[in-house]
Amino acid sequence: MEWHQACGMVQNMLEVKNLHKKFGSNEVLKGIDFQIDKGEVVAVIGPSGSGKTTLLRCISFLERADQGTITFEGLHYDMQHITSKEIRKLRLGMGFVFQGFHLFRNMTALGNVMEGLVTARKVPKAAAKKTAWEMLRKVGMEDRAMYYPDQLSGGQQQRVAIARAIALNPQVILFDEPTSALDPELTGEVLDVMRTLAKEGTTMVVVTHEMRFAMEAASRVVFMEGGLVVEEASSAALFSDPKEERTRQFLRRTIADYDRG
Ligand SMILES: Nc1ncnc2c1ncn2[C@@H]1O[C@H](COP(=O)(O)OP(=O)(O)OP(=O)(O)O)[C@@H](O)[C@H]1O
Ligand SMILES: [Mg+2]
């Protein structure tokens, strides 16, 4: 048992410490500390190749970290020695929404949202269907419930993917650039759904290039570069008064890109 469990201290819902990851000789994460509290929305920003996706993949054990610890829902693990049984248990508390929507092509929107409930969570079909309808309503996709993915726009497919994630009622949802595969006019509808979830107190980690979303919907922003956290602060502080020169440069560049686009 860890000392903070022993003395009953309040702790973050999810915390990783000293996370290291190499691909061959390429050191992609160089000792990342990251934490999120219940109800927080944390945006992770940073240039391409800075390790943002790798961070999410290590947190969710899609990728095995070389070193580091993870604390989730009060349980503490060494990432090198965690067992596959422990990984399975830990992943039950996490939801994932990635850039590609990964919906089953041979199932309707409703079927896609029901699938995890029925197979992974063993929820009876009737109850799963009821939950799936509720979740589709929540993301504004009720009228498309019987459509197949190929009959839906990218934004609609991503909203189904979000419905599928929230249906499983995870403690935290990890988003990796959920709008980057979408045309600009479809980005807004997905961000609107995420803003609603944020307002409802859903705990979310969002890797994003959408600076406006980070500014408006995130409570805290983490700026990564070169496999390190360069700066983290409340969203208001990071955007209005960044402390690090590298953060200032990144924000200047990104905002200039916006103005050109
Ligand atoms: N499976 C892999 N095998 C080898 N190298 C990898 C692998 N995944 C990522 N990398 C390398 O790790 C580095 C960080 O990649 P990562 O995808 O985490 O960056 P990112 O911050 O998400 O970038 P982007 O904003 O472009 O999505 C890159 O140099 C990339 O080439
Ligand atoms: Mg990425």
Side-chain angles (χ1 to χ4, degrees):
M1 200 188 317
E2 292 291 303
W3 65 272
H4 56 253
Q5 286 178 283
C7 58
M9 226 171 87
V10 177
Q11 56 190 343
N12 297 299
M13 170 202 279
L14 170 68
E15 178 168 41
V16 294
K17 275 195 170 158
N18 196 31
L19 188 62
H20 286 261
K21 176 66 186 173
K22 270 187 189 168
F23 291 108
S25 61
N26 184 11
E27 195 178 11
V28 172
L29 301 179
K30 300 175 181 168
I32 299 275
D33 293 338
F34 176 88
Q35 69 289 325
I36 184 166
D37 270 335
K38 195 171 163 54
E40 256 195 315
V41 177
V42 176
V44 180
I45 62 171
S48 182
S50 55
K52 306 180 299 295
T53 293
T54 307
L55 172 63
L56 287 194
R57 290 179 61 84
C58 286
I59 289 176
S60 53
F61 292 90
L62 293 171
E63 206 69 74
R64 201 64 181 256
D66 300 322
Q67 196 188 327
T69 59
I70 183 165
T71 307
F72 186 48
E73 301 187 272
L75 296 171
H76 184 79
Y77 306 94
D78 185 319
M79 293 181 105
Q80 273 175 293
H81 300 118
I82 186 167
T83 65
S84 27
K85 193 176 165 201
E86 288 168 331
I87 289 175
R88 275 198 301 279
K89 179 165 182 292
L90 205 142
R91 284 173 55 98
L92 285 176
M94 298 179 180
F96 312 98
V97 178
F98 292 156
Q99 183 180 355
F101 326 116
H102 308 301
L103 298 176
F104 295 111
R105 322 286 346 150
N106 61 337
M107 287 183 196
T108 61
L110 186 71
N112 268 282
V113 181
M114 284 176 64
E115 179 65 13
L117 287 166
V118 173
T119 57
R121 300 291 159 90
K122 312 290 179 216
V123 175
K125 265 207 166 144
K129 191 177 258 180
K130 186 163 175 280
T131 304
W133 274 110
E134 275 166 31
M135 297 305 134
L136 286 171
R137 188 178 318 130
K138 198 160 188 171
V139 301
M141 286 295 295
E142 208 183 3
D143 58 338
R144 296 282 190 280
M146 301 320 262
Y147 284 52
Y148 287 86
D150 291 344
Q151 301 168 320
L152 298 171
S153 74
Q156 291 170 339
Q157 290 183 56
Q158 193 60 303
R159 285 188 280 149
V160 174
I162 293 173
R164 179 180 55 183
I166 57 178
L168 299 173
N169 198 22
Q171 297 296 308
V172 56
I173 307 183
L174 310 176
F175 293 83
D176 190 5
E177 304 203 26
T179 60
S180 63
L182 303 177
D183 294 335
E185 68 269 26
L186 299 179
T187 297
E189 64 190 47
V190 173
L191 292 179
D192 283 345
V193 167
M194 293 172 64
R195 279 193 196 96
T196 306
L197 294 179
K199 282 203 197 95
E200 290 173 359
T202 312
T203 312
M204 312 198 277
V205 182
V206 187
V207 169
T208 187
H209 286 138
E210 297 287 340
M211 292 302 139
R212 192 160 301 132
F213 175 82
M215 223 178 281
E216 291 167 5
S219 37
R220 191 152 53 81
V221 179
V222 172
F223 170 60
M224 278 179 70
E225 194 177 60
L228 289 167
V229 172
V230 173
E231 182 166 356
E232 61 176 294
S234 76
S235 154
L238 191 116
F239 285 106
S240 64
D241 185 23
K243 299 287 177 238
E244 299 290 332
E245 180 53 30
R246 284 191 290 165
T247 315
R248 284 198 283 272
Q249 274 172 8
F250 174 77
L251 293 177
R252 265 202 301 273
R253 270 201 313 273
T254 332
I255 287 157
D257 286 348
Y258 256 137
D259 292 345
R260 270 197 299 278

